[in-house]
């Protein structure tokens, strides 16, 4: 079974959790940074999207 989740939904949920948990670490900052770029669709969207897509592909291929 394959489950597809939107990156905006995933990073949005993670940012809500980070804010609720009052996380002040570097991981929370990266999640909020990525969510901002995915939500805004700025000119930096394409390179960041490519990096995230490559990471997702790499994680997906770990089990193969």
């Amino acid at each position: 079974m394959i489950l597809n989740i939107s990156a905006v939904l995933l990073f949005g949920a993670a940012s809500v959790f980070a804010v609720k948990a009052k996380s002040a670490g570097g991981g929370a900052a990266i999640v909020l940074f990525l969510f901002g770029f995915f939500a805004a669709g700025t000119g930096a969207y394409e390179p960041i999207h490519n990096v995230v897509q490559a990471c997702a592909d790499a994680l997906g291929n770990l089990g193969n």
Side-chain angles (χ1 to χ4, degrees):
M1 182 173 131
I2 297 175
L3 179 65
N4 292 325
I5 299 174
S6 168
V8 173
L9 179 64
L10 182 65
F11 286 124
S15 64
V16 168
F17 177 75
V19 170
K20 291 280 186 186
K22 297 181 182 175
S23 298
I30 291 171
V31 167
L32 292 172
F33 173 79
L34 290 173
F35 178 69
F37 273 107
F38 275 108
T42 63
Y45 170 80
E46 191 66 31
I48 292 174
H49 176 73
N50 291 340
V51 168
V52 172
Q53 185 65 42
C55 291
D57 290 342
L59 287 174
N61 290 330
L62 284 178
N64 294 334

